Amino acid sequence: MPGDNPPRAGKAVSGGHEDSITTGSAATGGALLWRAGARLGTLLATATFAAPSLSVAAHADTGAAAAVSTVEVMQLAMFAGVMGAALVSAIFLIRERARTASQNVQLRARIADVNAALQRSEALLNLRDQRVVVWSSEIKKPELIGSLPLESGAPDERSAFLAFGRWLMPRSAAALENAIAALRDQAKTFDLVIETQAGMPLEVHGRKSAAHVLVRFISLSETLRSQARLKIENQRLSADYDTMLGLLDALKMPTWLRAGDGRLKWVNRAYAEAVEAESAEAAVREAKEFLGGQAREQIAEQHKSRPVFEQTLSTVIEGDRHMFSVTDFASGDGSAGLACDISAIETIRAEYERTVRSHADTLDQLNTAVAIFDTDENLRFFNQAFQKLWGLDGGFLHSAPSNALLLDRLRSEGKIAEQPEWRRWKENLLGAYRAVESQEHWWHLPDGKTIRVVANPQPKGGVTWVFENLTEKMDLESRYQTAVRVQGETLDNLAEGVAVFGPDGRLRLSNPAFIALWGLAPDAIKPNVHVSAIRDFCDQRAADSPWGGFVAAITGFDDERRDRHGQAELVNGTVLSYAVIHLPNGQVMMTFVDVTDTVNVERALKDRNEALEKSDQLKNEFVQHVSYELRSPLTNIIGFTELLSLPTTGPLTPKQREYVEHVGSSSSVLLTIVNDILDLATVDAGIMQLDISEMSIDRTIAAAAELVADRLEEHQIKLKVDAASAPKSFHGDEIRVRQILYNLLSNAANYAPAASTITLTCRQMADGVEFSVHDDGPGMPPDVLESVFRRFEPRANGGRRRGAGLGLSIVKSFVELHGGTVRIETGADKGTTVICTFPETPSGGIREAAE
């Protein structure tokens, strides 16, 4: 019927699982049959309702018979067509239902097989030794199938089971969670052995299919459980091993592992850097050793007796020698070692020891007594001042006595004052070991000394005791106060004015003489008055006031803190000599002395000195003028005298010849004196120039001896020349050296006894050439020796003739022009020796002689 519902694709055949199973083909066939039947019913209904309407129309309209018959034929044709289509549809439906029934039978058989397999799988999954977690999608919660034994410690409740950290060991829980995350995100399968908090090992397998993620927990048998425990332990040991190697590799200390045969099998980065290898693997591969061969032999030798080697060894790192604390442990399968660089520690330790020794030496040099006690109150250090202060035996002090014993010893020997309550006093004193702040005590000893005792607790325990002897200090303070009072009285009674100003420019100290010299009012000059106020008063009393410079020096505007001296003349004619002296404490002291009389005398002396200098200049000019004027007449006299002596001039009577000889000799002596005066005048003028050349010593000595030969022959005096140690020549002015030797020989001939011998010696010295002339005369007394080189001071002193007193002066001037020296060795009845020393090379051609 057209209004019927479409037939069902199938119906339950067997069991609750088969009622809802239909195939796709059966459903499709039923739908087609339903549509065909519906169309057929429509057509039949149309035909049924159409027949009566046609008959009624025939009766109503008899006149249209032909038209009605045509319509009937058409309706019959349509009915026949519909019936044929219905018949064909019925046949097709019957065949389709048969095929669908056959397919349903096959499907029921297949469903039965699937149900059986499902029941078997559920039975297997629900065993007590395994549990499966299934994720069917990312959104849905996972499904748990099966259970684990109670002794495994795995909870049955779903949320508690999935909280792995609550019932697994931390390491196992972390590894499992990381593996599940990798399985779900990256499809990485895994096989793990984990450990529960109850100590039960479990195997876990993770797999992923197209639609599901499965994690299977399996409880193991006892054998497999033992193997799993070993596997877990191996994993733990492997992880610990990797951790230890990572830690050792990160250490900055060279570390190594050796095989049983001693070969390197692992080193860390610090080792590789120490042996300058590219990497740790390269260091192992190239067998680069960190320690030297001798050190390795020493380690191997000690391993024969004990497994642990601990010692400080040295090795070279990057060209520098370093000290390492080496620890090496040996087992049956190899050894492991570690080296810690203690070079810096050793340096610091050595520096600390030097510092301690230096501090000890410093404390030992102090005059203040110092004693250091440790935390046990035993003496650990004392300096010499401590031993000297208390006069204790060194053996007792070096025995490290306790502080209490030391106090009892001092008390028994009467070196500290007796206390009314000795025990309480000592306990109060030793309370410094429990104190935090320093403590101070004053001891008045029986011998009159006053000791300041300071107890300074140390941060690490113990106390440092300082015993400062203040007896002298207190005595000095008393003396200082007395000296201050005496100084005040002295300053007040000084004729010299004194004023002291502080760094701030204010007056600190002054005396009445300062006020009187400057004519100041006593009320205006008070302590702490500023120097600018004093300047205003003093500027009115001095024509050219120096107080501007005083203010700059006192207030610090003068950059150079230097003392200064000067004079200031007041408007009343008084001349004050002042001195500005900078004191170490930043203060400035000024002193003023009335030097009016001294200045007047000085001025008079200056005027007189200028007059004397002018007079001396006139004298020198006169002497030079007279000498030049005398030389020409003397030359003429000597020339004419020599002409008179010649036979060609004419015969002379003996008396005339004697007179001519006296005139010639006197003229020669006078010419010599004039020449000497001219030479000295030239030297004084500083214009004498030496003709320095290489001169022959023998020739010069011979020339000087020839000049004095007549005088020596006159008194039967012999001349002995000793030049065996003399050089052949030296650099000097030959004429002046001959003149020096002539004057020395003439002077010796004047004082040498008749028929005696004068010795002329020349020898080579380390610093030049030395000439000496010795005579056996009476010698020179001290008063004569002091003025022997002065000009125009002739002295007979036993000499045959009295000269002009210029010989030795000329000798000294010429020798000094050469850069040499002159000295005289003489004594009563010892004769006189004049020694002249010439340098190898004169210092210059022109020199000024000493006056």
Side-chain angles (χ1 to χ4, degrees):
M1 295 296 291
D4 293 340
N5 292 326
R8 297 183 180 273
K11 57 191 281 185
V13 179
S14 63
H17 295 287
E18 298 180 0
D19 292 339
S20 60
I21 304 298
T22 59
T23 64
S25 60
T28 303
L32 292 174
L33 291 175
W34 179 80
R35 286 196 295 270
R39 294 182 64 185
L40 182 59
T42 303
L43 292 173
L44 292 175
T46 303
T48 304
F49 287 112
S53 63
L54 290 174
S55 62
V56 172
H59 291 288
D61 192 0
T62 57
V68 172
S69 61
T70 301
V71 172
E72 289 178 355
V73 172
M74 291 176 64
Q75 289 178 348
L76 288 174
M78 290 178 60
F79 177 76
V82 170
M83 290 301 294
L87 180 61
V88 172
S89 298
I91 295 171
F92 177 77
L93 180 60
I94 292 171
R95 289 182 178 179
E96 192 67 29
R97 286 180 61 86
R99 188 173 63 84
T100 302
S102 175
Q103 290 179 352
N104 287 338
V105 171
Q106 294 176 1
L107 290 174
R108 290 189 187 98
R110 185 181 287 177
I111 289 172
D113 294 338
V114 170
N115 288 335
L118 179 61
Q119 291 174 0
R120 287 195 304 270
S121 298
E122 289 182 347
L124 292 173
L125 291 175
N126 288 324
L127 295 175
R128 296 291 297 175
D129 59 350
Q130 64 179 351
R131 196 167 198 182
V132 181
V133 182
V134 182
W135 284 270
S136 59
S137 66
E138 295 294 335
I139 302 176
K140 293 183 179 180
K141 294 182 179 180
E143 181 181 358
L144 274 65
I145 303 172
S147 62
L148 294 173
L150 294 177
E151 59 270 16
S152 66
D156 289 333
E157 200 271 325
R158 177 179 174 280
S159 59
F161 183 84
L162 293 177
F164 301 125
R166 296 183 180 179
W167 58 280
L168 292 178
M169 297 298 290
R171 181 179 297 177
S172 297
L176 179 59
E177 289 177 352
N178 293 333
I180 292 174
L183 176 65
R184 298 184 64 183
D185 297 338
Q186 305 173 14
K188 290 185 178 180
T189 61
F190 64 87
D191 295 293
L192 295 178
V193 177
I194 61 176
E195 184 179 10
T196 66
Q197 293 182 359
M200 178 74 71
L202 300 175
E203 278 191 0
V204 184
H205 305 284
R207 300 292 185 269
K208 185 174 183 180
S209 64
H212 299 85
V213 175
L214 298 97
V215 177
R216 182 182 180 191
F217 296 81
I218 303 174
S219 178
L220 305 177
S221 63
E222 189 61 34
T223 303
L224 295 177
R225 193 176 301 163
S226 300
Q227 295 178 357
R229 286 196 180 97
L230 293 176
K231 187 175 181 180
I232 292 173
E233 186 65 24
N234 181 52
Q235 292 175 353
R236 183 183 298 113
L237 292 176
S238 178
D240 292 342
Y241 178 78
D242 293 339
T243 302
M244 290 300 297
L245 287 185
L247 174 63
L248 294 176
D249 192 55
L251 289 178
K252 299 299 182 181
M253 297 179 287
T255 308
W256 60 89
L257 296 177
R258 296 183 184 274
D261 57 358
R263 292 182 295 104
L264 289 173
K265 73 177 181 180
W266 182 87
V267 298
N268 65 349
R269 286 179 294 176
Y271 185 102
E273 293 175 358
V275 299
E276 299 181 359
E278 295 181 357
S279 62
E281 293 76 10
V284 175
R285 184 173 59 255
E286 298 172 8
K288 288 192 173 184
E289 293 293 345
F290 173 72
L291 298 174
Q294 185 176 0
R296 297 198 305 274
E297 292 176 0
Q298 184 178 356
I299 294 173
E301 185 65 26
Q302 186 165 341
H303 280 329
K304 294 179 180 179
S305 57
R306 56 180 181 175
V308 179
F309 173 88
E310 290 181 323
Q311 195 170 335
T312 299
L313 301 175
S314 66
T315 187
V316 177
I317 305 295
E318 296 181 352
D320 297 328
R321 183 162 294 277
H322 292 253
M323 301 298 296
F324 285 86
S325 177
V326 179
T327 302
D328 195 277
F329 174 79
S331 63
D333 297 331
S335 64
L338 182 143
C340 179
D341 190 352
I342 59 173
S343 301
I345 298 176
E346 290 296 327
T347 302
I348 294 174
R349 179 182 291 110
E351 183 66 25
Y352 172 74
E353 292 176 354
R354 287 195 299 269
T355 303
V356 170
R357 288 195 300 269
S358 176
H359 287 176
D361 294 340
T362 303
L363 291 176
D364 209 34
Q365 299 299 321
L366 292 178
N367 293 326
T368 302
V370 178
I372 300 176
F373 290 80
D374 58 15
T375 54
D376 297 329
E377 301 184 14
N378 293 325
L379 181 64
R380 289 302 173 214
F381 172 81
F382 63 92
N383 61 355
Q384 294 181 1
F386 179 83
Q387 184 178 4
K388 181 179 179 181
L389 174 65
W390 300 114
L392 297 173
D393 179 60
F396 171 73
L397 294 176
H398 285 98
S399 65
S402 65
N403 204 338
L405 179 61
L406 180 63
L407 293 174
D408 292 337
R409 175 77 174 265
L410 295 176
R411 178 194 181 193
S412 63
E413 294 181 1
K415 295 179 179 178
I416 57 177
E418 188 67 37
Q419 303 297 326
E421 297 183 7
W422 170 258
R423 185 181 300 277
R424 179 177 298 177
W425 180 83
K426 184 171 68 173
E427 290 178 355
N428 181 41
L429 190 67
L430 296 180
Y433 289 93
R434 299 177 297 275
V436 177
E437 302 293 336
S438 299
Q439 297 181 1
E440 182 177 339
H441 307 274
W442 291 82
W443 292 1
H444 300 283
L445 305 186
D447 58 0
K449 295 179 181 178
T450 300
I451 305 296
R452 176 176 173 263
V453 182
V454 178
N456 184 23
Q458 300 299 320
K460 295 183 179 181
V463 175
T464 299
W465 295 90
V466 179
F467 302 87
E468 185 178 4
N469 189 354
L470 299 180
T471 306
E472 295 183 1
K473 181 180 178 181
M474 298 176 68
D475 184 42
L476 289 175
E477 287 181 354
S478 175
R479 294 181 182 179
Y480 172 75
Q481 296 296 334
T482 303
V484 168
R485 291 192 295 270
V486 172
Q487 181 182 15
E489 293 295 330
T490 303
L491 288 176
D492 290 343
N493 292 278
L494 280 178
E496 181 179 4
V498 178
V500 179
F501 293 87
D504 56 354
R506 299 191 176 277
L507 182 65
R508 295 286 187 270
L509 176 68
S510 64
N511 64 348
F514 170 73
I515 300 174
L517 290 174
W518 284 96
L520 303 176
D523 297 339
I525 305 302
K526 295 181 179 179
N528 292 324
V529 65
H530 200 269
V531 64
S532 58
I534 300 177
R535 173 186 177 179
D536 295 339
F537 290 110
C538 295
D539 284 346
Q540 303 173 5
R541 291 165 174 78
D544 187 9
S545 177
W547 278 90
F550 295 165
V551 173
I554 293 171
T555 57
F557 291 108
D558 188 357
D559 295 336
E560 297 183 6
R561 286 180 56 85
R562 62 179 181 214
D563 299 342
R564 63 179 67 178
H565 300 79
Q567 289 183 354
E569 187 171 355
L570 305 185
V571 294
N572 59 5
T574 303
V575 179
L576 299 179
S577 175
Y578 65 83
V580 179
I581 302 172
H582 293 272
L583 302 178
N585 57 0
Q587 297 181 346
V588 177
M589 179 179 70
M590 295 191 302
T591 60
F592 301 90
V593 180
D594 188 352
V595 293
T596 305
D597 297 338
T598 304
V599 169
N600 292 334
V601 172
E602 182 180 354
R603 290 172 179 171
L605 291 176
K606 284 183 178 180
D607 295 340
R608 184 177 180 183
N609 184 58
E610 291 176 357
L612 290 174
E613 288 179 352
K614 291 181 179 180
S615 175
D616 186 64
Q617 183 178 359
L618 290 174
K619 180 198 71 173
N620 291 335
E621 293 176 353
F622 172 76
V623 169
Q624 293 179 16
H625 180 73
V626 171
S627 298
Y628 277 111
E629 294 297 329
L630 288 176
R631 175 176 287 185
S632 296
L634 284 175
T635 303
N636 294 331
I637 293 172
I638 293 172
F640 286 118
T641 304
E642 291 178 352
L643 288 176
L644 291 174
S645 300
L646 294 176
T648 58
T649 306
L652 297 176
T653 63
K655 197 68 174 178
Q656 289 174 338
R657 187 170 297 279
E658 180 181 357
Y659 290 158
V660 169
E661 290 177 354
H662 280 297
V663 170
S665 61
S666 298
S667 298
S668 298
V669 171
L670 182 58
L671 181 61
T672 301
I673 294 173
V674 170
N675 289 334
D676 290 343
I677 292 173
L678 289 176
D679 289 339
L680 290 174
T682 305
V683 171
D684 292 341
I687 60 175
M688 175 167 282
Q689 185 173 3
L690 300 177
D691 184 11
I692 302 298
S693 64
E694 187 175 359
M695 50 169 284
S696 173
I697 291 179
D698 293 338
R699 185 174 64 247
T700 304
I701 291 176
E706 184 179 356
L707 292 175
V708 79
D710 293 339
R711 294 186 61 183
L712 297 178
E713 185 179 355
E714 182 181 356
H715 302 289
Q716 295 83 37
I717 298 174
K718 296 180 180 180
L719 176 62
K720 178 182 178 182
V721 178
D722 183 7
S725 301
K728 294 296 183 180
S729 62
F730 80 103
H731 288 82
D733 189 336
E734 185 173 356
I735 295 176
R736 300 305 178 187
V737 173
R738 183 173 67 242
Q739 189 174 355
I740 291 169
L741 296 179
Y742 169 74
N743 286 340
L744 292 178
L745 292 174
S746 299
N747 187 71
N750 190 35
Y751 291 99
S756 63
T757 301
I758 296 175
T759 303
L760 172 59
T761 304
C762 180
R763 58 179 178 172
Q764 178 71 54
M765 304 297 291
D767 54 350
V769 179
E770 180 183 276
F771 291 91
S772 63
V773 176
H774 174 75
D775 65 77
D776 295 329
M780 299 182 187
D783 57 336
V784 175
L785 188 61
E786 292 178 357
S787 60
V788 71
F789 292 112
R790 294 178 185 174
R791 302 173 186 176
F792 304 108
E793 290 193 11
R795 297 178 182 274
N797 194 32
R800 294 183 178 85
R801 65 177 66 178
R802 186 182 181 91
L806 298 176
L808 291 179
S809 298
I810 291 177
V811 168
K812 185 174 184 296
S813 297
F814 286 173
V815 171
E816 290 181 350
L817 277 175
H818 281 80
T821 58
V822 180
R823 71 179 190 274
I824 298 177
E825 297 178 357
T826 185
D829 300 328
K830 292 183 180 181
T832 301
T833 302
V834 181
I835 303 171
C836 300
T837 303
F838 294 87
E840 287 287 352
T841 302
S843 58
I846 300 177
R847 292 177 55 90
E848 292 184 2
E851 290 291 340

